[in-house]
Amino acid sequence: MPAPSPPKPAKTLSAPQKALIKLGLKRDIDLALHLPLRYEDETRIVKLRDAREGDVAQIEATVTACEITLRPRRQLLVTVDDGSDTCVMRFFSFYPSHQKALAVGSRIRARGEVKGGFMGLTMMHPSFKAAGGNLAEALTPVYSTVAGLAQAYLRRAVITGLNHADLSETLPQGIDWPDRRGSWALRDALQFLHHPTPDVSLAALEDRSHQAWIRLKCEELLAQQLSQLTAKRERDLLRAPALKFKPDGLYGQLLAALPFGLTNAQQRVGHEIAQDLARHVPMHRLLQGDVGSGKTVVAALAAMLAVDAGWQCALMAPTEILATQHFAKLVGWLEPLGVKVAWLIGSQKKKERATMLALIESGEAALVVGTHAVIQEHVKFKNLALAVIDEQHRFGVAQRLALRSKMQAEGMEPHMLMMTATPIPRTLAMSYYADLDVSVIDELPPGRTPILTRVVSDHRRHEVVERIGAQLQEGRQVYWVCPLIEESEALDLTNATQTHADLSEALPGVMVGLLHSRMPVAEKKAVMDLFTRGQMGVLVSTTVIEVGVDVPNASLMVIEHAERFGLSQLHQLRGRVGRGAAASACVLLYGTPEGGRLSETARERLRAMVETNDGFEIARRDLEIRGPGEFLGARQSGAPLLRFADLDTDAHLLEWARALAPQMLDQHPQLAERHIHRWLGGKSEYLKA
Ligand code: ADP
Ligand code: MG
């Protein structure tokens, strides 16, 4: 009998090992796929005369002067001459050993960024060693790293990873590549990108247009498509109640009772949803439509399909104000048809809440509207079949899962309808949202006059106030949104309070309200009520103006310090007006820094708001400016973002991956699984939400 092996000593990791884990570099393959950010060329010696401003150059030269100066601050100044020109090297931190190595007459090899200037060429803190010795054979990779992890350590770790990782192909043979020139083998592409030969164009490497990069981007995009498609197919194996359309049911009755007819787009998406609901497979559909496109009524109609079939529906909204508005609107539409609507919000009185909980549990309430309160543990549905999430990007994965778990029936899942007013640009929809079915309302209800947007300097604020007066005279209402001050909520508030006082003074006899995030909920509601009922002329608010708030009589929106907002946010705010038939306007006030001018990008962004009212176009420009990370927000908490592929420049590669993924899953399931595992490791869990 073998002796029992002694307990293994607890592994203690060194600081760089911990740093590797922090970077997500746990497996050999993770290291192999950790590609350089850029390269340094240590393969040749450049003559100073030939070095271009801004280049990182490696030179060999003789020190002709070495001295410490104290002005403007203590520094070591070393002058070198390589026969073609001279260069001054500056060191702000230095040791006696520096002075020794850089003594007059020494021959050194130095590498640093060359700057030109009045005094001739300079290099700031170049790295240096004695001249001579071998030159590197390949470009030197520079990797993204974290504190405590030196480039040299990381480079060695990557080489080890490259040598040990399984780099065999996972892509099926004989597939068509997006580029006719054919593609590199994965192993070759990785070897090359980590250690490119010096004859290659640095530009093609750095802008990632080189063939080897293309190969890696294809791989990455394919992994994303495969994992999303897998999640979707797994979901398709689940069961949900089939909600069959009844021609003489509540659906038709609600349609007939509405004070308006549906737009073509609403009809189309209504049909798409109805088809999904009629199946035994849980729907997982994203409904996107610009602000004011009428998503609420589409959700209400979907709810009627559930109720007609004898099931319950829940509608969750991100804020109390929005939930309250939905509740009021839905009660107005549905109670005349005999459909009981319950609501749940955090600030509700205990007694009312108890009543609501009972209505929900007994099934008497067919529709439940509310905030996060809906997903709390003690909320029991009798038979939830459809869950609608409004402004879905404001919710996280956990909240969506919690809502889904409210389905009581064994082994079943509710249908999910997720709504968003932030249009998702096509490439994003095809990549990060590829596991969802998407419906788009691409048409506004008729009779809306487009919103006129103006960009106005804060110096002309008084003219804007005059304009408000005119709007009020016509019986209209006005929103005034105060600037976003990211560093300080308190400053936000001071500013809003001041504006509120100024406007109250400038507009005697007009009720001017103030809304900010620190107000007690009841007070917020009271203010919102006065505004909704038309008694309040002007509503000053910090950015709490809720996405989705609907007051058709409001026709002017003023946004202060508009240059501080994101484009999509501006578009959403602007969408609060232009909801009625009256001509509406949006004034984007911009502040200029003391004596300065608005930056060119800021101007360009504000100009985009003037040029287009199209939410898709704005979202596209926003994506361009901010990148997908911020755009995705809560949906992707913890999700791996694309590292290499760029949705803008690599859209054609995305198309390619999208076409290949289903084929590969069908014909080469094992390869597909290996591919996902290689690229995403354990990171694809989030997709299940
Ligand atoms: P959003 O898509 O931004 O959530 P809402 O659902 O709040 O938009 O709708 C905006 C306004 O348009 C509401 O007052 C709604 O009742 C109204 N509305 C919706 N559909 C139509 C339609 N087909 N014709 C006229 N008005 C409509
Ligand atoms: Mg809405």
Side-chain angles (χ1 to χ4, degrees):
M1 202 192 242
S5 52
K8 276 194 191 141
K11 254 199 239 163
T12 44
L13 295 177
S14 67
Q17 280 170 329
K18 283 186 196 150
L20 282 180
I21 291 174
K22 195 162 150 202
L23 274 175
L25 306 178
K26 297 178 192 154
R27 308 170 300 169
D28 288 326
I29 187 71
D30 298 330
L31 283 159
L33 296 176
H34 190 64
L35 291 173
L37 281 178
R38 57 189 177 81
Y39 303 90
E40 283 177 358
D41 189 351
E42 294 174 282
T43 63
R44 43 195 189 114
I45 304 291
V46 176
K47 282 285 173 204
L48 279 168
R49 183 187 47 219
D50 301 330
R52 281 170 311 167
E53 163 105 33
D55 274 359
V56 173
Q58 177 163 257
I59 59 166
E60 279 194 354
T62 307
V63 177
T64 57
C66 176
E67 60 190 18
I68 295 172
T69 59
L70 297 174
R71 268 155 226 274
R73 56 185 269 210
R74 189 175 136 85
Q75 54 187 292
L76 181 67
L77 288 182
V78 178
T79 311
V80 298
D81 187 335
D82 76 347
S84 75
D85 204 341
T86 62
C87 174
V88 175
M89 299 175 170
R90 287 173 195 278
F91 299 87
F92 289 116
S93 60
F94 57 92
Y95 300 99
S97 60
H98 277 72
Q99 283 162 271
K100 209 164 149 200
L102 295 167
V104 173
S106 322
R107 292 264 316 148
I108 59 163
R109 180 183 292 177
R111 195 163 47 84
E113 189 179 334
V114 179
K115 290 259 163 63
F118 182 64
M119 308 289 282
L121 299 176
T122 63
M123 276 191 192
M124 210 58 123
H125 274 276
S127 60
F128 66 90
K129 56 186 177 195
N134 291 338
L135 288 168
E137 279 171 17
L139 297 178
T140 310
V142 179
Y143 297 102
S144 71
T145 184
V146 289
L149 184 58
Q151 279 297 328
Y153 185 96
L154 186 50
R155 278 180 197 138
R156 282 196 303 273
V158 168
I159 291 175
T160 314
L162 261 178
N163 290 339
H164 289 90
D166 166 18
L167 299 179
S168 58
E169 294 292 327
T170 45
L171 268 60
Q173 284 187 343
I175 54 169
D176 285 331
W177 290 95
D179 192 303
R180 266 173 291 118
R181 283 172 293 173
S183 181
W184 289 36
L186 175 67
R187 179 184 300 280
D188 298 342
L190 282 173
Q191 286 290 359
F192 177 81
L193 289 178
H194 284 293
H195 305 112
T197 46
D199 57 331
V200 69
S201 140
L202 256 183
L205 276 185
E206 295 194 341
D207 74 9
R208 301 184 174 180
S209 61
H210 190 278
Q211 275 291 298
W213 268 119
I214 301 286
R215 169 68 207 251
L216 267 294
K217 293 185 202 183
C218 284
E219 290 252 331
E220 177 180 47
L221 287 164
L222 183 64
Q224 189 196 41
Q225 292 295 314
L226 284 172
S227 77
Q228 301 232 20
L229 194 58
T230 309
K232 192 163 155 56
R233 289 188 176 182
E234 280 171 10
R235 208 162 41 228
D236 284 350
L237 299 175
L238 301 171
R239 302 280 86 180
L243 310 171
K244 295 278 188 239
F245 176 71
K246 289 202 187 114
D248 53 351
L250 289 163
Y251 187 97
Q253 291 170 36
L254 174 55
L255 262 187
L258 286 173
F260 49 76
L262 296 186
T263 61
N264 287 331
Q266 284 171 318
Q267 284 176 31
R268 188 186 65 242
V269 305
H271 189 67
E272 286 164 1
I273 293 168
Q275 276 188 328
D276 282 0
L277 294 180
R279 299 173 61 215
H280 273 294
V281 175
M283 171 171 79
H284 218 71
R285 188 170 282 278
L286 182 69
L287 171 56
Q288 52 176 108
D290 212 339
V291 271
S293 62
K295 294 182 290 294
T296 319
V297 68
V298 172
L301 286 164
M304 291 310 94
L305 290 172
V307 180
D308 267 335
W311 295 80
Q312 285 172 300
C313 171
L315 169 61
M316 183 161 77
T319 66
E320 296 214 344
I321 288 182
L322 196 51
T324 309
Q325 278 217 350
H326 280 329
F327 177 67
K329 181 158 259 178
L330 291 165
V331 165
W333 282 340
L334 303 181
E335 299 219 324
L337 306 179
V339 177
K340 181 81 192 152
V341 186
W343 72 317
L344 282 177
I345 57 172
S347 66
Q348 219 157 15
K349 296 237 164 55
K350 263 204 172 136
K351 204 169 143 211
E352 189 184 24
R353 162 176 305 233
T355 317
M356 291 300 160
L357 288 175
L359 286 175
I360 299 167
E361 188 157 7
S362 71
E364 205 180 316
L367 176 57
V368 182
V369 179
T371 56
H372 303 76
V374 171
I375 50 177
Q376 255 135 48
E377 212 173 316
H378 57 271
V379 182
K380 299 257 180 313
F381 284 81
K382 176 160 179 254
N383 59 356
L384 179 69
L386 172 62
V388 182
I389 302 184
D390 195 16
E391 309 296 348
Q392 71 90 24
H393 55 285
R394 306 264 305 259
F395 291 96
V397 170
Q399 290 159 328
R400 278 195 295 272
L401 286 173
L403 185 54
R404 219 158 75 184
S405 72
K406 293 290 175 192
M407 161 68 108
Q408 297 284 320
E410 197 68 29
M412 289 231 238
E413 297 245 327
H415 296 286
M416 300 278 282
L417 179 62
M418 289 156 273
M419 309 203 288
T420 181
T422 306
I424 299 160
R426 203 175 103 81
T427 48
L428 263 194
M430 278 168 51
S431 54
Y432 291 100
Y433 291 82
D435 61 323
L436 299 182
D437 294 309
V438 180
S439 288
V440 182
I441 306 185
D442 52 4
E443 175 185 9
L444 291 180
R448 304 250 171 100
T449 39
I451 306 165
L452 190 70
T453 300
R454 284 275 167 273
V455 177
V456 177
S457 157
D458 197 50
H459 301 306
R460 291 169 53 203
R461 201 182 170 92
H462 57 280
E463 291 172 36
V464 175
V465 176
E466 276 165 32
R467 179 137 180 214
I468 292 181
Q471 287 289 308
L472 294 169
Q473 288 278 310
E474 289 176 30
R476 300 278 158 211
Q477 290 166 277
V478 178
Y479 292 103
W480 184 295
V481 180
C482 286
L484 191 70
I485 301 175
E486 280 188 3
E487 315 83 60
S488 154
E489 225 182 296
L491 267 182
D492 241 6
L493 191 54
T494 324
N495 193 299
T497 318
Q498 187 59 47
T499 304
H500 176 248
D502 292 350
L503 287 176
S504 303
E505 196 187 313
L507 301 163
V510 175
M511 191 195 288
V512 181
L514 176 62
L515 197 66
H516 60 79
S517 51
R518 297 248 195 99
M519 264 157 73
V521 176
E523 213 174 298
K524 267 194 214 169
K525 249 187 272 181
V527 170
M528 210 51 222
D529 258 10
L530 285 168
F531 192 69
T532 311
R533 281 195 263 111
Q535 283 159 276
M536 183 179 284
V538 182
L539 179 62
V540 177
S541 93
T542 54
T543 44
V544 291
I545 289 213
E546 312 290 333
V547 273
V549 168
D550 188 27
V551 180
N553 191 46
S555 59
L556 176 62
M557 156 86 48
V558 181
I559 304 176
E560 238 183 290
H561 275 298
E563 76 280 4
R564 295 186 191 165
F565 292 83
L567 282 185
S568 294
Q569 207 180 0
L570 285 176
H571 181 65
Q572 295 229 337
L573 285 169
R574 175 170 69 177
R576 300 308 106 218
V577 296
R579 306 200 139 213
S584 293
C586 174
V587 175
L588 303 176
L589 277 179
Y590 64 89
T592 41
E594 205 96 347
R597 278 163 55 88
L598 210 51
S599 75
E600 191 46 44
T601 22
R603 271 165 199 285
E604 201 176 304
R605 281 151 41 80
L606 294 181
R607 213 176 297 134
M609 291 299 298
V610 174
E611 280 166 11
T612 177
N613 260 309
D614 177 346
F616 277 87
E617 177 57 21
I618 286 171
R620 200 187 57 72
R621 295 199 196 180
D622 209 18
L623 178 66
E624 230 172 61
I625 296 169
R626 293 195 299 165
E630 283 199 49
F631 203 96
L632 292 165
R635 163 166 171 89
Q636 305 293 332
S637 44
L641 288 175
L642 291 170
R643 289 182 282 162
F644 307 140
D646 175 290
L647 291 179
D648 216 22
T649 47
D650 301 323
H652 65 297
L653 305 182
L654 177 58
E655 301 272 4
W656 169 86
R658 196 162 78 124
L660 180 59
Q663 260 183 37
M664 189 164 158
L665 269 186
D666 291 338
Q667 295 165 19
H668 307 278
Q670 275 114 11
L671 286 179
E673 200 185 317
R674 266 180 57 210
H675 189 80
I676 295 174
H677 186 72
R678 170 179 286 176
W679 276 88
L680 300 174
K683 289 184 212 147
S684 52
E685 267 303 296
Y686 75 99
L687 283 167
K688 306 234 157 72

